[in-house]
Amino acid sequence: IRDEMHEELINICITHKDTRRDFDNILSEVDLRCLSQADVIGVTTTGLARNLNMLRRLQSKVVLCEEAGEIFEPHLLTALLPSVEHAILIGDHYQLRPQVQNYELSRENRNGGERYSLDVSLFERLVETDSAMGCALPYSTLQTQRRMHPSIAELVRETL
């Protein structure tokens, strides 16, 4: 009886797995139809990685990455799908870097960490001129920083 029940359970699990895969494919197709109608699609690098197969089918031509200096290089490289023709990276390569939890993999670790430098973003590597890792690509820097008007900032502060 136990062997029969075990076999039946295995069959149920296999059927469930197949049904779940079909259901996920249907949901993905619905999402793809909705997204194909959009002019702009916003997604985090984690969301992009999670939905990579679907997003590849959209054939996006432009990727705009905000806070590019804080994003791990592999995460940003994932966003550069084969259809992408233009990558626009916005950020400050002198400010925050990607946060690496393991000091051994950090650029700051002089005992071999420079070899990995996971805390250096692709954005920083592209514009950096001072190291062998840098490409020294041209970039533009804002000359005037626009901030929220004080009256609007006060309204937000009071509300929150």
Side-chain angles (χ1 to χ4, degrees), residues 78-137:
T78 303
L80 302 179
L81 301 170
S83 61
V84 171
E85 296 175 4
H86 301 281
I88 302 167
L89 307 180
I90 301 171
D92 185 349
H93 58 286
Y94 292 118
Q95 256 188 353
L96 298 174
R97 282 190 166 151
Q99 297 297 309
V100 177
Q101 301 301 319
N102 187 340
Y103 181 70
E104 299 297 319
L105 302 175
S106 171
R107 180 186 218 181
E108 306 302 320
N109 178 9
R110 300 293 179 212
N111 297 327
E114 291 175 317
R115 178 176 55 207
Y116 303 107
S117 296
L118 291 184
D119 58 342
V120 179
S121 66
L122 175 65
F123 183 58
E124 186 175 348
R125 289 184 206 273
L126 290 175
V127 300
E128 195 175 55
T129 58
D130 297 337
S131 77
M133 290 189 303
C135 293
L137 289 179

